[in-house]
Amino acid sequence: MIRVLFVCHGNICRSPMAAFVMQDMVRGAGLTDRFAIASAATSREEIGNPVYPPARRKLAEHGISCDGHAARQMTRADYDAYDLLIGMDRANIRNMQRLCGGDPDGKIRLLLDYAGRPGEEVADPWYTRDFEATWQDVEQGCRGLLSALRDGC
């Protein structure tokens, strides 16, 4: 089982979008039994909140439900529980490393590294209000991540 945790600042836009998109891709590939996918925040600001409404609408446009999501904060224990911890931007990566006490196993990565866009950040729609750009980033990153992990299945 490959365990992937997607992480952003609040766990209401980018990281849940990535988790639900990845779950949809995994389901479409018939690999559901080989993946465990979740999402979390680096902050405590949105704990317990559902996916932000514009992000929910963007997922729904693509036939993806995000029902049942409640934002949670990443913990140090997540480092051991997951094989990969995927951040959306460099600030997330720094906060993830702080929360985990470093990254001795090299598990913490940027999502767009898997889209052939090393070092690039997923657009934050909380600030840009451009949920389509975020969707494109997330879709490309998840497609590349699934491709990279598929060989290990």
Side-chain angles (χ1 to χ4, degrees), residues 33-95:
D33 61 332
R34 299 189 182 177
F35 284 85
I37 300 163
S39 65
T42 58
S43 75
R44 301 182 50 79
E45 295 166 22
E46 300 288 346
I47 292 177
N49 287 335
V51 174
Y52 190 55
R56 175 184 298 271
R57 286 191 294 275
K58 183 53 69 177
L59 288 167
E61 282 178 26
H62 296 276
I64 300 172
S65 172
C66 57
D67 291 344
H69 174 78
R72 74 167 185 92
Q73 186 179 30
M74 179 184 162
T75 67
R76 186 177 289 252
D78 287 327
Y79 192 83
D80 293 326
Y82 290 91
D83 300 305
L84 284 173
L85 296 94
I86 307 293
M88 302 296 123
D89 62 39
R90 285 183 291 283
N92 299 151
I93 298 294
R94 282 189 303 275
N95 289 330

Side-chain angles (χ1 to χ4, degrees), residues 18 26 63 92 98:
V26 164
N92 299 151
R98 181 183 48 77

Side-chain angles (χ1 to χ4, degrees), residues 9-28:
H9 180 78
N11 193 219
I12 60 167
C13 291
R14 296 175 294 169
S15 62
M17 283 179 76
F20 287 113
V21 166
M22 187 71 168
Q23 287 169 354
D24 187 65
M25 288 179 179
V26 164
R27 192 171 25 262

Side-chain angles (χ1 to χ4, degrees), residues 4 6 83-87 106-120 137 139-149:
V4 180
F6 292 96
D83 300 305
L84 284 173
L85 296 94
I86 307 293
K107 296 180 178 187
I108 297 175
R109 312 262 176 82
L110 276 171
L111 179 60
L112 289 180
D113 287 355
Y114 292 96
R117 297 165 54 189
E120 288 189 41
D137 286 348
E139 194 274 335
Q140 289 172 16
C142 287
R143 190 166 306 289
L145 177 59
L146 180 57
S147 178
L149 295 175

